[in-house]
Amino acid sequence: MERLQKAMAHAGVASRRKCEELIAQGRVAVNGQIVTELGFKVDPDTDVITVDGRPIRPERKLVLLLNKPKGVITSVSDPQGRRTVIDFLKGVKERVYPVGRLDYDTEGLLLLTNDGELANLLMHPRHQVPKTYLATVKGIPHGEQLDRLREGIELEDGRTAPAEVEYADIDMDKNTAVISITIHEGRNRQVRRMLEAIGHEVVRLRRIQYGPLTLAGVPRGKYRVLKPEEVRELRDAARRSAVT
Ligand code: URA
């Protein structure tokens, strides 16, 4: 327990003396009750302290990992009334925003956060962490075609950076293949365009990994909150990925 003015000063509201003035002016409430007594004791971890009705603690920073289904738009709202990724975050009070974008028909791992600094770091072109996709394509690409993707391929917005590309599955009967592709960029519709450039249409696309994070334990349409150490690892991965 600590004196109210001290807890306020620790939270960065103002100097202790200025906080005493705020209390004396009747502008400070503890758990909804105005407190004007300077010696009032609070528990800064559990008591809700407000100044002029506003909580002194900033909103907690949150990073969510959503397993996005297909047929869902990566946006906080849609004028056409389509389902958005926010519709899958029942129970989340914080205003979170998607980190980057998955196409309407792309499934899989999408991060959302209210931490603007982290979002900027992850979306910065110089700090792109590796992202792995499973792309189901029509027809079965030859090994040399996959080599072209590994080396970098010319797209209308320039040559792609080298990618890691492997066969994940081949279905001779259906004449389809599943290609695992890891890219270090985040261009619009990049994976679909890369595979189209070698002559194979993508019929299903799923992001399964984002830096150190995977979809493990998160069913389609569900989300989980990242632990502080996972957020730290993500930040570290982005810093390590810096292109100089
Ligand atoms: N590449 C694509 O083509 N689409 C996505 O949604 C993500 C990466």
Side-chain angles (χ1 to χ4, degrees):
M1 300 290 275
E2 124 183 289
R3 286 159 74 88
L4 178 55
Q5 60 269 38
K6 199 169 162 195
M8 289 169 66
H10 279 165
V13 175
S15 68
R16 202 175 308 177
R17 232 192 89 81
K18 179 77 182 126
C19 290
E20 286 173 358
E21 282 173 30
L22 293 171
I23 296 168
Q25 289 164 2
R27 294 168 61 186
V28 179
V30 178
N31 301 324
Q33 298 288 319
I34 298 281
V35 171
T36 52
E37 180 199 330
L38 290 180
F40 195 84
K41 291 278 177 50
V42 293
D43 180 341
D45 290 329
T46 54
D47 287 325
V48 178
I49 303 168
T50 56
V51 177
D52 297 333
R54 282 191 294 273
I56 63 170
R57 240 183 300 280
E59 193 178 60
R60 79 178 163 139
K61 294 278 197 282
L62 197 62
V63 187
L64 307 177
L65 186 162
L66 172 70
N67 187 347
K68 175 193 174 297
K70 65 183 284 193
V72 174
I73 180 163
T74 305
S75 174
V76 289
S77 65
D78 182 43
Q80 295 173 40
R82 290 172 296 182
R83 282 193 306 173
T84 76
V85 289
I86 303 296
D87 295 334
F88 292 85
L89 307 182
K90 296 277 168 334
V92 176
K93 288 192 217 72
E94 290 81 357
R95 285 170 62 87
V96 294
Y97 299 89
V99 177
R101 208 168 73 84
L102 288 179
D103 298 336
Y104 184 69
D105 279 329
T106 302
E107 309 159 45
L109 199 163
L110 180 73
L111 296 179
L112 299 108
T113 187
N114 58 353
D115 184 339
E117 181 264 322
L118 176 66
N120 284 340
L121 174 70
L122 293 171
M123 289 194 284
H124 195 286
R126 281 189 53 219
H127 293 277
Q128 295 280 324
V129 299
K131 299 170 191 89
T132 303
Y133 296 82
L134 290 180
T136 307
V137 295
K138 275 193 194 160
I140 300 167
H142 295 298
E144 299 90 77
Q145 289 173 289
L146 300 192
D147 282 342
R148 291 178 61 204
L149 300 179
R150 292 187 181 109
E151 285 156 15
I153 193 160
E154 207 58 55
L155 298 180
E156 59 188 25
D157 52 357
R159 199 178 174 80
T160 60
E164 288 98 70
V165 186
E166 303 294 337
Y167 294 103
D169 194 25
I170 290 176
D171 189 329
M172 292 292 193
D173 295 335
K174 288 194 191 145
N175 193 32
T176 59
V178 181
I179 307 297
S180 162
I181 174 161
T182 301
I183 59 172
H184 304 259
E185 302 164 282
R187 300 194 215 165
N188 198 20
R189 296 179 64 82
Q190 182 166 347
V191 174
R192 291 177 198 274
R193 289 192 292 134
M194 286 172 76
L195 286 153
E196 267 157 33
I198 59 162
H200 291 272
E201 188 195 339
V202 173
V203 291
R204 184 179 178 203
L205 186 59
R206 191 151 69 104
R207 182 153 73 189
I208 58 163
Q209 186 149 5
Y210 190 108
L213 301 166
T214 71
L215 284 172
V218 187
R220 183 178 307 149
K222 302 287 183 206
Y223 71 90
R224 70 178 182 88
V225 178
L226 294 193
K227 301 188 192 88
E229 61 265 32
E230 292 178 300
V231 177
R232 215 172 306 127
E233 283 169 18
L234 188 60
R235 222 182 266 280
D236 289 348
R239 294 210 182 96
R240 270 200 309 276
S241 306
V243 181
T244 45

